[in-house]
Amino acid sequence: MDTKELLKKVRKIEIKTRRLSDHIFGGEYHSTFKGRGMTFSEVRQYQFGDDVRSIDWNVTARYNEPYVKVFEEERELTMMLMVDVSGSELFGTTNQFKKEIITEISATLAFSALQNNDKAGLILFSDEVELFIPPKKGKSHVLRIIRELLEFKPQSNKTDIAGAMKYLTNVMKKKAIVFVLSDFIAEDYEQTMKIVGNKHDVTGIRVYDEKEETIPNLGMVQMEDAETGTIKLINTQSKSVRNAYRNYHHDRVKYFKNAYTKSGCGVIDCRVDESYVKKLLGYFKRRG
């Protein structure tokens, strides 16, 4: 992708996702993810209806009339986007690949953080951490995140969610809002999620294509594993083959939901041909 084409794509993503974050998600994001607590701001004269517990007795004694302490939310937060860039994300049977939907969702969340003056960072992972962008504020930083999501070419096509989550715990010492975007066609990460879920506010966003759920009866078909590159001849006429695949896929989805919910983490399912806007809004409203 040349520079001109890349900038054009970044701009297109920015226009679409910033409009969403400005008009829809900014407020929902703010109300869903709270700051670290309340911090003292100032004192002012007592007004009818104020909580008497907030009276500052030292100032009240000095001026011989009641004054109350005013607190404000200590808002600044850090959001980390953890994005699966393995080979299975380059799949789609409708208008878009899973990777494209993941990029749009990530950009929308990043602009929501920007609007609320929060930091945003990015981890791209396959079966290794491919790229780490430390959290920062600012529009130029968010645009860099979008450029990497569009342009980055991973070294591996495989997936290791547990390894990526362990990396997160090493680089993020303070509590962060974490969104993990993947199809979650993986296993052996439940124990790691329990550790990460205790430290951070984590949400798993599963982006999938409905055609991944089952194999149609097409006779003998040559298929390639997007992550290992293995090519096999599959007899899709066989009912046992189709059932085995359906059960495998069902088990991966069940594992994902159990691993996240048992760890106190949030879960969002987003099919590529459905509106991720409704899915995100519904999730934020339920949590807010």
mmCIF file of all heavy atoms in Angstrom, residues 138-166:
data_model
loop_
_atom_site.group_PDB
_atom_site.id
_atom_site.type_symbol
_atom_site.label_atom_id
_atom_site.label_comp_id
_atom_site.label_asym_id
_atom_site.label_seq_id
_atom_site.Cartn_x
_atom_site.Cartn_y
_atom_site.Cartn_z
ATOM 1 N N GLY A 138 -3.677 12.367 22.424
ATOM 2 C CA GLY A 138 -3.552 13.200 21.237
ATOM 3 C C GLY A 138 -4.050 12.562 19.955
ATOM 4 O O GLY A 138 -4.002 11.343 19.783
ATOM 5 N N LYS A 139 -4.528 13.420 19.065
ATOM 6 C CA LYS A 139 -5.078 12.957 17.791
ATOM 7 C C LYS A 139 -4.017 12.297 16.918
ATOM 8 O O LYS A 139 -4.283 11.270 16.278
ATOM 9 C CB LYS A 139 -5.705 14.143 17.044
ATOM 10 C CG LYS A 139 -6.297 13.753 15.691
ATOM 11 C CD LYS A 139 -6.873 14.947 14.967
ATOM 12 C CE LYS A 139 -7.328 14.563 13.562
ATOM 13 N NZ LYS A 139 -7.856 15.713 12.817
ATOM 14 N N SER A 140 -2.826 12.866 16.863
ATOM 15 C CA SER A 140 -1.770 12.296 16.009
ATOM 16 C C SER A 140 -1.413 10.886 16.459
ATOM 17 O O SER A 140 -1.104 10.013 15.642
ATOM 18 C CB SER A 140 -0.530 13.184 16.021
ATOM 19 O OG SER A 140 0.003 13.294 17.328
ATOM 20 N N HIS A 141 -1.477 10.652 17.766
ATOM 21 C CA HIS A 141 -1.195 9.314 18.303
ATOM 22 C C HIS A 141 -2.279 8.322 17.878
ATOM 23 O O HIS A 141 -1.977 7.188 17.479
ATOM 24 C CB HIS A 141 -1.100 9.387 19.824
ATOM 25 C CG HIS A 141 -0.790 8.086 20.475
ATOM 26 N ND1 HIS A 141 0.423 7.438 20.363
ATOM 27 C CD2 HIS A 141 -1.561 7.280 21.260
ATOM 28 C CE1 HIS A 141 0.400 6.315 21.045
ATOM 29 N NE2 HIS A 141 -0.799 6.195 21.603
ATOM 30 N N VAL A 142 -3.551 8.748 17.962
ATOM 31 C CA VAL A 142 -4.658 7.881 17.533
ATOM 32 C C VAL A 142 -4.548 7.557 16.038
ATOM 33 O O VAL A 142 -4.777 6.424 15.615
ATOM 34 C CB VAL A 142 -6.020 8.539 17.848
ATOM 35 C CG1 VAL A 142 -7.166 7.762 17.205
ATOM 36 C CG2 VAL A 142 -6.226 8.618 19.356
ATOM 37 N N LEU A 143 -4.165 8.547 15.242
ATOM 38 C CA LEU A 143 -4.007 8.310 13.800
ATOM 39 C C LEU A 143 -2.862 7.342 13.523
ATOM 40 O O LEU A 143 -2.925 6.549 12.577
ATOM 41 C CB LEU A 143 -3.775 9.639 13.068
ATOM 42 C CG LEU A 143 -4.971 10.603 13.058
ATOM 43 C CD1 LEU A 143 -4.605 11.894 12.349
ATOM 44 C CD2 LEU A 143 -6.197 9.955 12.412
ATOM 45 N N ARG A 144 -1.825 7.387 14.356
ATOM 46 C CA ARG A 144 -0.747 6.410 14.197
ATOM 47 C C ARG A 144 -1.250 4.996 14.477
ATOM 48 O O ARG A 144 -0.915 4.046 13.765
ATOM 49 C CB ARG A 144 0.411 6.736 15.149
ATOM 50 C CG ARG A 144 1.576 5.775 14.942
ATOM 51 C CD ARG A 144 2.563 5.744 16.085
ATOM 52 N NE ARG A 144 3.485 4.641 15.934
ATOM 53 C CZ ARG A 144 4.344 4.237 16.862
ATOM 54 N NH1 ARG A 144 4.417 4.870 18.012
ATOM 55 N NH2 ARG A 144 5.133 3.201 16.644
ATOM 56 N N ILE A 145 -2.085 4.853 15.511
ATOM 57 C CA ILE A 145 -2.671 3.553 15.828
ATOM 58 C C ILE A 145 -3.474 3.028 14.635
ATOM 59 O O ILE A 145 -3.365 1.854 14.254
ATOM 60 C CB ILE A 145 -3.562 3.658 17.089
ATOM 61 C CG1 ILE A 145 -2.670 3.808 18.332
ATOM 62 C CG2 ILE A 145 -4.484 2.449 17.227
ATOM 63 C CD1 ILE A 145 -3.442 4.059 19.618
ATOM 64 N N ILE A 146 -4.271 3.896 14.020
ATOM 65 C CA ILE A 146 -5.078 3.489 12.865
ATOM 66 C C ILE A 146 -4.175 3.085 11.697
ATOM 67 O O ILE A 146 -4.435 2.082 11.018
ATOM 68 C CB ILE A 146 -6.035 4.620 12.448
ATOM 69 C CG1 ILE A 146 -7.046 4.907 13.559
ATOM 70 C CG2 ILE A 146 -6.778 4.254 11.154
ATOM 71 C CD1 ILE A 146 -7.910 6.124 13.320
ATOM 72 N N ARG A 147 -3.108 3.832 11.463
ATOM 73 C CA ARG A 147 -2.178 3.487 10.368
ATOM 74 C C ARG A 147 -1.579 2.103 10.577
ATOM 75 O O ARG A 147 -1.482 1.311 9.635
ATOM 76 C CB ARG A 147 -1.055 4.533 10.272
ATOM 77 C CG ARG A 147 -1.465 5.849 9.655
ATOM 78 C CD ARG A 147 -0.267 6.664 9.212
ATOM 79 N NE ARG A 147 0.652 6.959 10.300
ATOM 80 C CZ ARG A 147 0.551 8.009 11.106
ATOM 81 N NH1 ARG A 147 -0.443 8.876 10.932
ATOM 82 N NH2 ARG A 147 1.432 8.220 12.066
ATOM 83 N N GLU A 148 -1.196 1.808 11.805
ATOM 84 C CA GLU A 148 -0.611 0.492 12.089
ATOM 85 C C GLU A 148 -1.645 -0.620 11.898
ATOM 86 O O GLU A 148 -1.331 -1.683 11.362
ATOM 87 C CB GLU A 148 -0.052 0.452 13.517
ATOM 88 C CG GLU A 148 1.131 1.363 13.754
ATOM 89 C CD GLU A 148 2.394 0.937 13.006
ATOM 90 O OE1 GLU A 148 2.382 -0.108 12.334
ATOM 91 O OE2 GLU A 148 3.399 1.665 13.103
ATOM 92 N N LEU A 149 -2.874 -0.362 12.332
ATOM 93 C CA LEU A 149 -3.934 -1.362 12.159
ATOM 94 C C LEU A 149 -4.187 -1.660 10.682
ATOM 95 O O LEU A 149 -4.491 -2.788 10.296
ATOM 96 C CB LEU A 149 -5.229 -0.871 12.814
ATOM 97 C CG LEU A 149 -5.257 -0.889 14.346
ATOM 98 C CD1 LEU A 149 -6.417 -0.056 14.869
ATOM 99 C CD2 LEU A 149 -5.351 -2.313 14.865
ATOM 100 N N LEU A 150 -4.059 -0.639 9.839
ATOM 101 C CA LEU A 150 -4.296 -0.807 8.408
ATOM 102 C C LEU A 150 -3.111 -1.440 7.684
ATOM 103 O O LEU A 150 -3.294 -2.289 6.797
ATOM 104 C CB LEU A 150 -4.597 0.551 7.769
ATOM 105 C CG LEU A 150 -5.967 1.167 8.044
ATOM 106 C CD1 LEU A 150 -5.997 2.606 7.561
ATOM 107 C CD2 LEU A 150 -7.064 0.359 7.359
ATOM 108 N N GLU A 151 -1.910 -1.053 8.062
ATOM 109 C CA GLU A 151 -0.734 -1.351 7.247
ATOM 110 C C GLU A 151 0.148 -2.480 7.770
ATOM 111 O O GLU A 151 0.889 -3.100 7.000
ATOM 112 C CB GLU A 151 0.112 -0.075 7.122
ATOM 113 C CG GLU A 151 1.228 -0.168 6.100
ATOM 114 C CD GLU A 151 2.049 1.104 6.055
ATOM 115 O OE1 GLU A 151 2.290 1.719 7.119
ATOM 116 O OE2 GLU A 151 2.469 1.478 4.956
ATOM 117 N N PHE A 152 0.080 -2.773 9.069
ATOM 118 C CA PHE A 152 1.053 -3.685 9.667
ATOM 119 C C PHE A 152 0.995 -5.085 9.064
ATOM 120 O O PHE A 152 -0.074 -5.651 8.863
ATOM 121 C CB PHE A 152 0.827 -3.775 11.178
ATOM 122 C CG PHE A 152 1.920 -4.507 11.906
ATOM 123 C CD1 PHE A 152 3.080 -3.856 12.263
ATOM 124 C CD2 PHE A 152 1.788 -5.857 12.207
ATOM 125 C CE1 PHE A 152 4.099 -4.527 12.921
ATOM 126 C CE2 PHE A 152 2.795 -6.541 12.857
ATOM 127 C CZ PHE A 152 3.954 -5.871 13.227
ATOM 128 N N LYS A 153 2.162 -5.635 8.789
ATOM 129 C CA LYS A 153 2.287 -6.997 8.245
ATOM 130 C C LYS A 153 2.933 -7.881 9.312
ATOM 131 O O LYS A 153 4.119 -7.746 9.610
ATOM 132 C CB LYS A 153 3.153 -7.006 6.982
ATOM 133 C CG LYS A 153 2.603 -6.169 5.830
ATOM 134 C CD LYS A 153 1.311 -6.763 5.273
ATOM 135 C CE LYS A 153 0.867 -6.058 3.993
ATOM 136 N NZ LYS A 153 0.510 -4.640 4.215
ATOM 137 N N PRO A 154 2.171 -8.797 9.915
ATOM 138 C CA PRO A 154 2.723 -9.635 10.992
ATOM 139 C C PRO A 154 3.760 -10.635 10.491
ATOM 140 O O PRO A 154 3.729 -11.052 9.326
ATOM 141 C CB PRO A 154 1.481 -10.353 11.535
ATOM 142 C CG PRO A 154 0.508 -10.357 10.405
ATOM 143 C CD PRO A 154 0.748 -9.077 9.650
ATOM 144 N N GLN A 155 4.641 -11.028 11.397
ATOM 145 C CA GLN A 155 5.660 -12.024 11.073
ATOM 146 C C GLN A 155 5.101 -13.441 11.119
ATOM 147 O O GLN A 155 5.611 -14.344 10.471
ATOM 148 C CB GLN A 155 6.829 -11.909 12.060
ATOM 149 C CG GLN A 155 7.562 -10.575 12.014
ATOM 150 C CD GLN A 155 8.255 -10.353 10.686
ATOM 151 O OE1 GLN A 155 8.996 -11.217 10.209
ATOM 152 N NE2 GLN A 155 8.008 -9.207 10.079
ATOM 153 N N SER A 156 4.043 -13.641 11.919
ATOM 154 C CA SER A 156 3.459 -14.973 12.094
ATOM 155 C C SER A 156 1.966 -14.940 11.817
ATOM 156 O O SER A 156 1.315 -13.902 11.984
ATOM 157 C CB SER A 156 3.723 -15.464 13.523
ATOM 158 O OG SER A 156 3.049 -16.682 13.769
ATOM 159 N N ASN A 157 1.426 -16.083 11.416
ATOM 160 C CA ASN A 157 -0.018 -16.198 11.190
ATOM 161 C C ASN A 157 -0.747 -16.920 12.319
ATOM 162 O O ASN A 157 -1.960 -17.071 12.291
ATOM 163 C CB ASN A 157 -0.284 -16.960 9.880
ATOM 164 C CG ASN A 157 0.051 -16.133 8.656
ATOM 165 O OD1 ASN A 157 -0.149 -14.926 8.643
ATOM 166 N ND2 ASN A 157 0.574 -16.782 7.623
ATOM 167 N N LYS A 158 0.006 -17.378 13.327
ATOM 168 C CA LYS A 158 -0.583 -18.169 14.402
ATOM 169 C C LYS A 158 -1.099 -17.266 15.529
ATOM 170 O O LYS A 158 -0.918 -16.048 15.500
ATOM 171 C CB LYS A 158 0.448 -19.165 14.936
ATOM 172 C CG LYS A 158 0.895 -20.175 13.872
ATOM 173 C CD LYS A 158 1.939 -21.126 14.424
ATOM 174 C CE LYS A 158 2.404 -22.101 13.351
ATOM 175 N NZ LYS A 158 3.454 -23.021 13.867
ATOM 176 N N THR A 159 -1.741 -17.890 16.544
ATOM 177 C CA THR A 159 -2.353 -17.126 17.639
ATOM 178 C C THR A 159 -1.920 -17.656 18.993
ATOM 179 O O THR A 159 -1.907 -18.869 19.204
ATOM 180 C CB THR A 159 -3.895 -17.209 17.572
ATOM 181 O OG1 THR A 159 -4.328 -16.912 16.256
ATOM 182 C CG2 THR A 159 -4.536 -16.231 18.546
ATOM 183 N N ASP A 160 -1.575 -16.759 19.908
ATOM 184 C CA ASP A 160 -1.316 -17.114 21.304
ATOM 185 C C ASP A 160 -1.860 -15.994 22.178
ATOM 186 O O ASP A 160 -1.178 -15.006 22.451
ATOM 187 C CB ASP A 160 0.185 -17.311 21.541
ATOM 188 C CG ASP A 160 0.498 -17.701 22.985
ATOM 189 O OD1 ASP A 160 -0.456 -17.886 23.773
ATOM 190 O OD2 ASP A 160 1.685 -17.816 23.327
ATOM 191 N N ILE A 161 -3.112 -16.146 22.606
ATOM 192 C CA ILE A 161 -3.759 -15.113 23.424
ATOM 193 C C ILE A 161 -3.123 -15.042 24.808
ATOM 194 O O ILE A 161 -2.894 -13.950 25.334
ATOM 195 C CB ILE A 161 -5.271 -15.389 23.517
ATOM 196 C CG1 ILE A 161 -5.921 -15.211 22.136
ATOM 197 C CG2 ILE A 161 -5.931 -14.461 24.538
ATOM 198 C CD1 ILE A 161 -7.379 -15.594 22.069
ATOM 199 N N ALA A 162 -2.811 -16.192 25.387
ATOM 200 C CA ALA A 162 -2.210 -16.204 26.722
ATOM 201 C C ALA A 162 -0.889 -15.444 26.742
ATOM 202 O O ALA A 162 -0.624 -14.654 27.657
ATOM 203 C CB ALA A 162 -1.997 -17.644 27.189
ATOM 204 N N GLY A 163 -0.059 -15.652 25.727
ATOM 205 C CA GLY A 163 1.227 -14.961 25.660
ATOM 206 C C GLY A 163 1.061 -13.455 25.571
ATOM 207 O O GLY A 163 1.804 -12.690 26.210
ATOM 208 N N ALA A 164 0.069 -13.012 24.789
ATOM 209 C CA ALA A 164 -0.192 -11.576 24.644
ATOM 210 C C ALA A 164 -0.663 -10.977 25.966
ATOM 211 O O ALA A 164 -0.262 -9.869 26.345
ATOM 212 C CB ALA A 164 -1.236 -11.338 23.556
ATOM 213 N N MET A 165 -1.512 -11.707 26.707
ATOM 214 C CA MET A 165 -2.016 -11.198 27.978
ATOM 215 C C MET A 165 -0.910 -11.127 29.027
ATOM 216 O O MET A 165 -0.873 -10.213 29.857
ATOM 217 C CB MET A 165 -3.173 -12.072 28.483
ATOM 218 C CG MET A 165 -4.363 -12.174 27.535
ATOM 219 S SD MET A 165 -4.983 -10.597 26.931
ATOM 220 C CE MET A 165 -5.747 -9.919 28.382
ATOM 221 N N LYS A 166 0.015 -12.084 28.990
ATOM 222 C CA LYS A 166 1.157 -12.041 29.917
ATOM 223 C C LYS A 166 2.029 -10.824 29.624
ATOM 224 O O LYS A 166 2.541 -10.175 30.538
ATOM 225 C CB LYS A 166 1.978 -13.332 29.793
ATOM 226 C CG LYS A 166 1.294 -14.558 30.383
ATOM 227 C CD LYS A 166 2.092 -15.820 30.112
ATOM 228 C CE LYS A 166 1.359 -17.058 30.621
ATOM 229 N NZ LYS A 166 2.083 -18.309 30.270
#
